[in-house]
Amino acid sequence: MKRAVVISLLLLLTFSAGAQESIVEKPEDAFATWTDVIVRKDFDNWHVGGLVEYCTIDNGSGLKHNEVVLRPIVGYNPLNWLRLQFQVDFLYSFFSGFYLRYLPDVSFHWKASDFRFSFRTRYQLSHHTQSGKLSSAMRNRFKVEYMIPDAPVSLHFAAEPYWWDRFIKTRYYLGADFKINKHFSITADYIRYQHYDIPKPHQNVVYLILYVRL
């Protein structure tokens, strides 16, 4: 099973690397790749960690740019079904410069048989340090996971609408989680964006995450 997981990951990475150099045929269907490494350490009800992310983005009209994100994370679970978390993104875009993003969120989760449900509400405040421009959004994500019995694999679907004085976009996630051992796991997602207020409304994302638990 572990060999199959590693082979699947290599195939996805190969596909992502090739897609970064491809030309999007339909201008309304932009393409992006996100690659993350997330490290976490638990201390009773607290957890601390960090994320490193590299993104490639094509807006569908030939304009391409990359982003790098460094995100420290701290969280607290006052109850076994409730999580409070705070994150800060240090984001550098090769196209538009440096941003700070503040991301407090609250998550609720519960299980039913082999299914796990979660709801997360997140406030996002972005500050472009060169222009001083501020923007904000509310991001509410509902996620359903199916944990395959006697297998280190689970499947999931999620929807995440963004509200910024109106609904501006929704992310739809479809993917799988692969547990390698108690310290390492991999998530692979296809994400489809639906924008509501621009003439080229769609974006497709291949998203890969390596989780490390210390």
PDB file of all heavy atoms in Angstrom, residues 18-50:
ATOM      1  N   GLY A  18       4.663  19.226 -15.360  1.00  0.00           N
ATOM      2  CA  GLY A  18       4.407  19.395 -16.777  1.00  0.00           C
ATOM      3  C   GLY A  18       3.333  20.425 -17.042  1.00  0.00           C
ATOM      4  O   GLY A  18       3.427  21.223 -17.971  1.00  0.00           O
ATOM      5  N   ALA A  19       2.313  20.449 -16.217  1.00  0.00           N
ATOM      6  CA  ALA A  19       1.205  21.381 -16.426  1.00  0.00           C
ATOM      7  C   ALA A  19       1.636  22.816 -16.231  1.00  0.00           C
ATOM      8  O   ALA A  19       1.064  23.730 -16.821  1.00  0.00           O
ATOM      9  CB  ALA A  19       0.057  21.029 -15.471  1.00  0.00           C
ATOM     10  N   GLN A  20       2.648  23.049 -15.401  1.00  0.00           N
ATOM     11  CA  GLN A  20       3.099  24.413 -15.185  1.00  0.00           C
ATOM     12  C   GLN A  20       3.621  25.038 -16.461  1.00  0.00           C
ATOM     13  O   GLN A  20       3.578  26.266 -16.620  1.00  0.00           O
ATOM     14  CB  GLN A  20       4.206  24.432 -14.123  1.00  0.00           C
ATOM     15  CG  GLN A  20       3.711  24.072 -12.739  1.00  0.00           C
ATOM     16  CD  GLN A  20       4.854  23.981 -11.754  1.00  0.00           C
ATOM     17  OE1 GLN A  20       5.902  24.561 -11.981  1.00  0.00           O
ATOM     18  NE2 GLN A  20       4.655  23.267 -10.668  1.00  0.00           N
ATOM     19  N   GLU A  21       4.131  24.233 -17.400  1.00  0.00           N
ATOM     20  CA  GLU A  21       4.697  24.756 -18.632  1.00  0.00           C
ATOM     21  C   GLU A  21       3.694  24.748 -19.775  1.00  0.00           C
ATOM     22  O   GLU A  21       4.008  25.182 -20.877  1.00  0.00           O
ATOM     23  CB  GLU A  21       5.922  23.914 -19.029  1.00  0.00           C
ATOM     24  CG  GLU A  21       7.005  23.870 -17.955  1.00  0.00           C
ATOM     25  CD  GLU A  21       7.517  25.247 -17.611  1.00  0.00           C
ATOM     26  OE1 GLU A  21       7.582  26.094 -18.515  1.00  0.00           O
ATOM     27  OE2 GLU A  21       7.849  25.471 -16.432  1.00  0.00           O
ATOM     28  N   SER A  22       2.496  24.225 -19.559  1.00  0.00           N
ATOM     29  CA  SER A  22       1.526  24.098 -20.630  1.00  0.00           C
ATOM     30  C   SER A  22       0.794  25.411 -20.863  1.00  0.00           C
ATOM     31  O   SER A  22       0.761  26.284 -20.007  1.00  0.00           O
ATOM     32  CB  SER A  22       0.515  22.986 -20.312  1.00  0.00           C
ATOM     33  OG  SER A  22      -0.267  23.348 -19.195  1.00  0.00           O
ATOM     34  N   ILE A  23       0.210  25.533 -22.025  1.00  0.00           N
ATOM     35  CA  ILE A  23      -0.588  26.706 -22.377  1.00  0.00           C
ATOM     36  C   ILE A  23      -2.045  26.352 -22.195  1.00  0.00           C
ATOM     37  O   ILE A  23      -2.532  25.333 -22.696  1.00  0.00           O
ATOM     38  CB  ILE A  23      -0.320  27.137 -23.830  1.00  0.00           C
ATOM     39  CG1 ILE A  23       1.159  27.518 -24.001  1.00  0.00           C
ATOM     40  CG2 ILE A  23      -1.219  28.290 -24.235  1.00  0.00           C
ATOM     41  CD1 ILE A  23       1.538  27.838 -25.436  1.00  0.00           C
ATOM     42  N   VAL A  24      -2.777  27.171 -21.474  1.00  0.00           N
ATOM     43  CA  VAL A  24      -4.192  26.917 -21.223  1.00  0.00           C
ATOM     44  C   VAL A  24      -4.962  27.181 -22.507  1.00  0.00           C
ATOM     45  O   VAL A  24      -4.880  28.265 -23.084  1.00  0.00           O
ATOM     46  CB  VAL A  24      -4.713  27.820 -20.089  1.00  0.00           C
ATOM     47  CG1 VAL A  24      -6.198  27.577 -19.852  1.00  0.00           C
ATOM     48  CG2 VAL A  24      -3.927  27.541 -18.815  1.00  0.00           C
ATOM     49  N   GLU A  25      -5.707  26.186 -22.995  1.00  0.00           N
ATOM     50  CA  GLU A  25      -6.399  26.324 -24.261  1.00  0.00           C
ATOM     51  C   GLU A  25      -7.607  27.244 -24.136  1.00  0.00           C
ATOM     52  O   GLU A  25      -7.882  28.049 -25.023  1.00  0.00           O
ATOM     53  CB  GLU A  25      -6.836  24.949 -24.765  1.00  0.00           C
ATOM     54  CG  GLU A  25      -5.647  24.040 -25.112  1.00  0.00           C
ATOM     55  CD  GLU A  25      -6.098  22.705 -25.626  1.00  0.00           C
ATOM     56  OE1 GLU A  25      -7.334  22.497 -25.708  1.00  0.00           O
ATOM     57  OE2 GLU A  25      -5.238  21.869 -25.954  1.00  0.00           O
ATOM     58  N   LYS A  26      -8.345  27.114 -23.068  1.00  0.00           N
ATOM     59  CA  LYS A  26      -9.525  27.948 -22.876  1.00  0.00           C
ATOM     60  C   LYS A  26      -9.168  29.115 -21.966  1.00  0.00           C
ATOM     61  O   LYS A  26      -8.770  28.906 -20.828  1.00  0.00           O
ATOM     62  CB  LYS A  26     -10.657  27.134 -22.252  1.00  0.00           C
ATOM     63  CG  LYS A  26     -11.154  25.991 -23.119  1.00  0.00           C
ATOM     64  CD  LYS A  26     -12.310  25.274 -22.446  1.00  0.00           C
ATOM     65  CE  LYS A  26     -12.834  24.150 -23.317  1.00  0.00           C
ATOM     66  NZ  LYS A  26     -13.971  23.452 -22.652  1.00  0.00           N
ATOM     67  N   PRO A  27      -9.301  30.363 -22.414  1.00  0.00           N
ATOM     68  CA  PRO A  27      -8.889  31.503 -21.582  1.00  0.00           C
ATOM     69  C   PRO A  27      -9.703  31.642 -20.314  1.00  0.00           C
ATOM     70  O   PRO A  27      -9.254  32.237 -19.356  1.00  0.00           O
ATOM     71  CB  PRO A  27      -9.089  32.702 -22.513  1.00  0.00           C
ATOM     72  CG  PRO A  27     -10.069  32.230 -23.536  1.00  0.00           C
ATOM     73  CD  PRO A  27      -9.783  30.779 -23.726  1.00  0.00           C
ATOM     74  N   GLU A  28     -10.927  31.071 -20.282  1.00  0.00           N
ATOM     75  CA  GLU A  28     -11.722  31.191 -19.068  1.00  0.00           C
ATOM     76  C   GLU A  28     -11.360  30.126 -18.038  1.00  0.00           C
ATOM     77  O   GLU A  28     -11.869  30.130 -16.921  1.00  0.00           O
ATOM     78  CB  GLU A  28     -13.222  31.092 -19.403  1.00  0.00           C
ATOM     79  CG  GLU A  28     -13.699  29.724 -19.856  1.00  0.00           C
ATOM     80  CD  GLU A  28     -13.537  29.499 -21.352  1.00  0.00           C
ATOM     81  OE1 GLU A  28     -12.838  30.303 -22.009  1.00  0.00           O
ATOM     82  OE2 GLU A  28     -14.106  28.520 -21.864  1.00  0.00           O
ATOM     83  N   ASP A  29     -10.483  29.195 -18.382  1.00  0.00           N
ATOM     84  CA  ASP A  29     -10.089  28.122 -17.473  1.00  0.00           C
ATOM     85  C   ASP A  29      -8.622  28.272 -17.112  1.00  0.00           C
ATOM     86  O   ASP A  29      -7.745  27.670 -17.734  1.00  0.00           O
ATOM     87  CB  ASP A  29     -10.341  26.753 -18.106  1.00  0.00           C
ATOM     88  CG  ASP A  29     -11.784  26.316 -17.987  1.00  0.00           C
ATOM     89  OD1 ASP A  29     -12.513  26.935 -17.191  1.00  0.00           O
ATOM     90  OD2 ASP A  29     -12.181  25.380 -18.680  1.00  0.00           O
ATOM     91  N   ALA A  30      -8.327  29.099 -16.119  1.00  0.00           N
ATOM     92  CA  ALA A  30      -6.954  29.292 -15.669  1.00  0.00           C
ATOM     93  C   ALA A  30      -6.503  28.073 -14.870  1.00  0.00           C
ATOM     94  O   ALA A  30      -7.320  27.314 -14.347  1.00  0.00           O
ATOM     95  CB  ALA A  30      -6.848  30.557 -14.837  1.00  0.00           C
ATOM     96  N   PHE A  31      -5.181  27.908 -14.754  1.00  0.00           N
ATOM     97  CA  PHE A  31      -4.622  26.728 -14.095  1.00  0.00           C
ATOM     98  C   PHE A  31      -3.589  27.153 -13.066  1.00  0.00           C
ATOM     99  O   PHE A  31      -2.852  28.110 -13.275  1.00  0.00           O
ATOM    100  CB  PHE A  31      -3.978  25.801 -15.125  1.00  0.00           C
ATOM    101  CG  PHE A  31      -3.508  24.500 -14.539  1.00  0.00           C
ATOM    102  CD1 PHE A  31      -4.396  23.461 -14.353  1.00  0.00           C
ATOM    103  CD2 PHE A  31      -2.200  24.336 -14.140  1.00  0.00           C
ATOM    104  CE1 PHE A  31      -3.973  22.265 -13.787  1.00  0.00           C
ATOM    105  CE2 PHE A  31      -1.767  23.149 -13.581  1.00  0.00           C
ATOM    106  CZ  PHE A  31      -2.661  22.117 -13.403  1.00  0.00           C
ATOM    107  N   ALA A  32      -3.533  26.424 -11.958  1.00  0.00           N
ATOM    108  CA  ALA A  32      -2.560  26.713 -10.909  1.00  0.00           C
ATOM    109  C   ALA A  32      -2.115  25.409 -10.264  1.00  0.00           C
ATOM    110  O   ALA A  32      -2.826  24.395 -10.301  1.00  0.00           O
ATOM    111  CB  ALA A  32      -3.154  27.646  -9.857  1.00  0.00           C
ATOM    112  N   THR A  33      -0.937  25.434  -9.657  1.00  0.00           N
ATOM    113  CA  THR A  33      -0.471  24.330  -8.822  1.00  0.00           C
ATOM    114  C   THR A  33      -0.051  24.887  -7.472  1.00  0.00           C
ATOM    115  O   THR A  33       0.566  25.961  -7.404  1.00  0.00           O
ATOM    116  CB  THR A  33       0.720  23.590  -9.455  1.00  0.00           C
ATOM    117  OG1 THR A  33       1.821  24.485  -9.603  1.00  0.00           O
ATOM    118  CG2 THR A  33       0.364  23.009 -10.812  1.00  0.00           C
ATOM    119  N   TRP A  34      -0.427  24.191  -6.404  1.00  0.00           N
ATOM    120  CA  TRP A  34      -0.018  24.549  -5.048  1.00  0.00           C
ATOM    121  C   TRP A  34       0.698  23.343  -4.461  1.00  0.00           C
ATOM    122  O   TRP A  34       0.206  22.213  -4.533  1.00  0.00           O
ATOM    123  CB  TRP A  34      -1.219  24.885  -4.159  1.00  0.00           C
ATOM    124  CG  TRP A  34      -2.093  25.991  -4.641  1.00  0.00           C
ATOM    125  CD1 TRP A  34      -1.812  26.916  -5.603  1.00  0.00           C
ATOM    126  CD2 TRP A  34      -3.416  26.277  -4.181  1.00  0.00           C
ATOM    127  NE1 TRP A  34      -2.879  27.767  -5.768  1.00  0.00           N
ATOM    128  CE2 TRP A  34      -3.872  27.414  -4.912  1.00  0.00           C
ATOM    129  CE3 TRP A  34      -4.246  25.717  -3.228  1.00  0.00           C
ATOM    130  CZ2 TRP A  34      -5.131  27.976  -4.718  1.00  0.00           C
ATOM    131  CZ3 TRP A  34      -5.507  26.260  -3.018  1.00  0.00           C
ATOM    132  CH2 TRP A  34      -5.938  27.376  -3.760  1.00  0.00           C
ATOM    133  N   THR A  35       1.847  23.586  -3.834  1.00  0.00           N
ATOM    134  CA  THR A  35       2.582  22.521  -3.152  1.00  0.00           C
ATOM    135  C   THR A  35       2.922  22.997  -1.748  1.00  0.00           C
ATOM    136  O   THR A  35       3.542  24.047  -1.587  1.00  0.00           O
ATOM    137  CB  THR A  35       3.871  22.174  -3.915  1.00  0.00           C
ATOM    138  OG1 THR A  35       3.556  21.864  -5.277  1.00  0.00           O
ATOM    139  CG2 THR A  35       4.559  20.975  -3.274  1.00  0.00           C
ATOM    140  N   ASP A  36       2.491  22.244  -0.731  1.00  0.00           N
ATOM    141  CA  ASP A  36       2.654  22.636   0.667  1.00  0.00           C
ATOM    142  C   ASP A  36       3.426  21.575   1.448  1.00  0.00           C
ATOM    143  O   ASP A  36       3.310  20.378   1.176  1.00  0.00           O
ATOM    144  CB  ASP A  36       1.296  22.792   1.368  1.00  0.00           C
ATOM    145  CG  ASP A  36       0.518  23.998   0.900  1.00  0.00           C
ATOM    146  OD1 ASP A  36       0.921  24.636  -0.085  1.00  0.00           O
ATOM    147  OD2 ASP A  36      -0.513  24.305   1.540  1.00  0.00           O
ATOM    148  N   VAL A  37       4.161  22.049   2.442  1.00  0.00           N
ATOM    149  CA  VAL A  37       4.656  21.193   3.522  1.00  0.00           C
ATOM    150  C   VAL A  37       4.154  21.804   4.825  1.00  0.00           C
ATOM    151  O   VAL A  37       4.381  22.990   5.090  1.00  0.00           O
ATOM    152  CB  VAL A  37       6.194  21.107   3.537  1.00  0.00           C
ATOM    153  CG1 VAL A  37       6.662  20.297   4.737  1.00  0.00           C
ATOM    154  CG2 VAL A  37       6.719  20.504   2.236  1.00  0.00           C
ATOM    155  N   ILE A  38       3.435  21.015   5.625  1.00  0.00           N
ATOM    156  CA  ILE A  38       2.860  21.485   6.887  1.00  0.00           C
ATOM    157  C   ILE A  38       3.437  20.646   8.024  1.00  0.00           C
ATOM    158  O   ILE A  38       3.380  19.407   7.990  1.00  0.00           O
ATOM    159  CB  ILE A  38       1.322  21.382   6.884  1.00  0.00           C
ATOM    160  CG1 ILE A  38       0.742  22.247   5.763  1.00  0.00           C
ATOM    161  CG2 ILE A  38       0.750  21.814   8.237  1.00  0.00           C
ATOM    162  CD1 ILE A  38      -0.776  22.121   5.613  1.00  0.00           C
ATOM    163  N   VAL A  39       4.000  21.316   9.009  1.00  0.00           N
ATOM    164  CA  VAL A  39       4.586  20.647  10.181  1.00  0.00           C
ATOM    165  C   VAL A  39       3.771  21.033  11.412  1.00  0.00           C
ATOM    166  O   VAL A  39       3.415  22.209  11.581  1.00  0.00           O
ATOM    167  CB  VAL A  39       6.061  21.048  10.364  1.00  0.00           C
ATOM    168  CG1 VAL A  39       6.650  20.378  11.592  1.00  0.00           C
ATOM    169  CG2 VAL A  39       6.868  20.707   9.119  1.00  0.00           C
ATOM    170  N   ARG A  40       3.467  20.039  12.272  1.00  0.00           N
ATOM    171  CA  ARG A  40       2.642  20.299  13.460  1.00  0.00           C
ATOM    172  C   ARG A  40       3.168  19.508  14.647  1.00  0.00           C
ATOM    173  O   ARG A  40       3.599  18.352  14.518  1.00  0.00           O
ATOM    174  CB  ARG A  40       1.185  19.916  13.170  1.00  0.00           C
ATOM    175  CG  ARG A  40       0.280  19.929  14.392  1.00  0.00           C
ATOM    176  CD  ARG A  40      -1.157  19.777  14.001  1.00  0.00           C
ATOM    177  NE  ARG A  40      -1.988  19.411  15.134  1.00  0.00           N
ATOM    178  CZ  ARG A  40      -3.321  19.524  15.161  1.00  0.00           C
ATOM    179  NH1 ARG A  40      -3.954  19.995  14.113  1.00  0.00           N
ATOM    180  NH2 ARG A  40      -3.995  19.159  16.229  1.00  0.00           N
ATOM    181  N   LYS A  41       3.098  20.143  15.816  1.00  0.00           N
ATOM    182  CA  LYS A  41       3.454  19.501  17.082  1.00  0.00           C
ATOM    183  C   LYS A  41       2.335  19.754  18.080  1.00  0.00           C
ATOM    184  O   LYS A  41       1.917  20.898  18.274  1.00  0.00           O
ATOM    185  CB  LYS A  41       4.778  20.071  17.607  1.00  0.00           C
ATOM    186  CG  LYS A  41       5.179  19.570  18.978  1.00  0.00           C
ATOM    187  CD  LYS A  41       5.522  18.089  18.976  1.00  0.00           C
ATOM    188  CE  LYS A  41       6.063  17.642  20.343  1.00  0.00           C
ATOM    189  NZ  LYS A  41       6.351  16.188  20.371  1.00  0.00           N
ATOM    190  N   ASP A  42       1.827  18.686  18.720  1.00  0.00           N
ATOM    191  CA  ASP A  42       0.744  18.795  19.692  1.00  0.00           C
ATOM    192  C   ASP A  42       1.290  18.842  21.108  1.00  0.00           C
ATOM    193  O   ASP A  42       2.233  18.121  21.452  1.00  0.00           O
ATOM    194  CB  ASP A  42      -0.219  17.617  19.561  1.00  0.00           C
ATOM    195  CG  ASP A  42      -0.981  17.627  18.248  1.00  0.00           C
ATOM    196  OD1 ASP A  42      -1.255  18.729  17.728  1.00  0.00           O
ATOM    197  OD2 ASP A  42      -1.298  16.529  17.748  1.00  0.00           O
ATOM    198  N   PHE A  43       0.659  19.686  21.949  1.00  0.00           N
ATOM    199  CA  PHE A  43       0.962  19.783  23.376  1.00  0.00           C
ATOM    200  C   PHE A  43      -0.369  19.767  24.125  1.00  0.00           C
ATOM    201  O   PHE A  43      -0.992  20.818  24.301  1.00  0.00           O
ATOM    202  CB  PHE A  43       1.727  21.068  23.697  1.00  0.00           C
ATOM    203  CG  PHE A  43       3.041  21.212  22.985  1.00  0.00           C
ATOM    204  CD1 PHE A  43       3.126  21.896  21.787  1.00  0.00           C
ATOM    205  CD2 PHE A  43       4.199  20.650  23.513  1.00  0.00           C
ATOM    206  CE1 PHE A  43       4.336  22.040  21.136  1.00  0.00           C
ATOM    207  CE2 PHE A  43       5.412  20.789  22.865  1.00  0.00           C
ATOM    208  CZ  PHE A  43       5.480  21.483  21.672  1.00  0.00           C
ATOM    209  N   ASP A  44      -0.825  18.579  24.507  1.00  0.00           N
ATOM    210  CA  ASP A  44      -2.145  18.439  25.132  1.00  0.00           C
ATOM    211  C   ASP A  44      -3.201  19.064  24.225  1.00  0.00           C
ATOM    212  O   ASP A  44      -3.375  18.615  23.107  1.00  0.00           O
ATOM    213  CB  ASP A  44      -2.150  19.053  26.532  1.00  0.00           C
ATOM    214  CG  ASP A  44      -1.208  18.315  27.482  1.00  0.00           C
ATOM    215  OD1 ASP A  44      -1.113  17.077  27.362  1.00  0.00           O
ATOM    216  OD2 ASP A  44      -0.559  18.975  28.312  1.00  0.00           O
ATOM    217  N   ASN A  45      -3.882  20.134  24.687  1.00  0.00           N
ATOM    218  CA  ASN A  45      -4.935  20.751  23.881  1.00  0.00           C
ATOM    219  C   ASN A  45      -4.419  21.818  22.914  1.00  0.00           C
ATOM    220  O   ASN A  45      -5.200  22.400  22.168  1.00  0.00           O
ATOM    221  CB  ASN A  45      -6.001  21.386  24.784  1.00  0.00           C
ATOM    222  CG  ASN A  45      -6.781  20.345  25.562  1.00  0.00           C
ATOM    223  OD1 ASN A  45      -6.824  19.173  25.177  1.00  0.00           O
ATOM    224  ND2 ASN A  45      -7.391  20.753  26.655  1.00  0.00           N
ATOM    225  N   TRP A  46      -3.127  22.094  22.959  1.00  0.00           N
ATOM    226  CA  TRP A  46      -2.539  23.099  22.087  1.00  0.00           C
ATOM    227  C   TRP A  46      -1.794  22.436  20.939  1.00  0.00           C
ATOM    228  O   TRP A  46      -1.340  21.296  21.052  1.00  0.00           O
ATOM    229  CB  TRP A  46      -1.564  23.989  22.859  1.00  0.00           C
ATOM    230  CG  TRP A  46      -2.220  24.905  23.843  1.00  0.00           C
ATOM    231  CD1 TRP A  46      -2.546  24.616  25.139  1.00  0.00           C
ATOM    232  CD2 TRP A  46      -2.623  26.251  23.608  1.00  0.00           C
ATOM    233  NE1 TRP A  46      -3.132  25.700  25.737  1.00  0.00           N
ATOM    234  CE2 TRP A  46      -3.193  26.728  24.814  1.00  0.00           C
ATOM    235  CE3 TRP A  46      -2.561  27.105  22.515  1.00  0.00           C
ATOM    236  CZ2 TRP A  46      -3.700  28.013  24.946  1.00  0.00           C
ATOM    237  CZ3 TRP A  46      -3.066  28.392  22.630  1.00  0.00           C
ATOM    238  CH2 TRP A  46      -3.625  28.836  23.834  1.00  0.00           C
ATOM    239  N   HIS A  47      -1.651  23.153  19.840  1.00  0.00           N
ATOM    240  CA  HIS A  47      -0.747  22.716  18.782  1.00  0.00           C
ATOM    241  C   HIS A  47      -0.084  23.934  18.154  1.00  0.00           C
ATOM    242  O   HIS A  47      -0.639  25.026  18.108  1.00  0.00           O
ATOM    243  CB  HIS A  47      -1.471  21.886  17.708  1.00  0.00           C
ATOM    244  CG  HIS A  47      -2.522  22.632  16.942  1.00  0.00           C
ATOM    245  ND1 HIS A  47      -3.842  22.646  17.316  1.00  0.00           N
ATOM    246  CD2 HIS A  47      -2.447  23.394  15.811  1.00  0.00           C
ATOM    247  CE1 HIS A  47      -4.550  23.370  16.458  1.00  0.00           C
ATOM    248  NE2 HIS A  47      -3.715  23.839  15.529  1.00  0.00           N
ATOM    249  N   VAL A  48       1.133  23.749  17.721  1.00  0.00           N
ATOM    250  CA  VAL A  48       1.884  24.790  17.021  1.00  0.00           C
ATOM    251  C   VAL A  48       2.484  24.157  15.772  1.00  0.00           C
ATOM    252  O   VAL A  48       2.670  22.933  15.692  1.00  0.00           O
ATOM    253  CB  VAL A  48       3.006  25.400  17.894  1.00  0.00           C
ATOM    254  CG1 VAL A  48       2.424  26.132  19.087  1.00  0.00           C
ATOM    255  CG2 VAL A  48       3.994  24.333  18.323  1.00  0.00           C
ATOM    256  N   GLY A  49       2.770  24.992  14.791  1.00  0.00           N
ATOM    257  CA  GLY A  49       3.336  24.459  13.568  1.00  0.00           C
ATOM    258  C   GLY A  49       3.589  25.547  12.554  1.00  0.00           C
ATOM    259  O   GLY A  49       3.638  26.737  12.878  1.00  0.00           O
ATOM    260  N   GLY A  50       3.739  25.108  11.324  1.00  0.00           N
ATOM    261  CA  GLY A  50       4.005  26.059  10.264  1.00  0.00           C
ATOM    262  C   GLY A  50       3.764  25.437   8.905  1.00  0.00           C
ATOM    263  O   GLY A  50       3.682  24.204   8.760  1.00  0.00           O
TER     264      GLY A  50
END
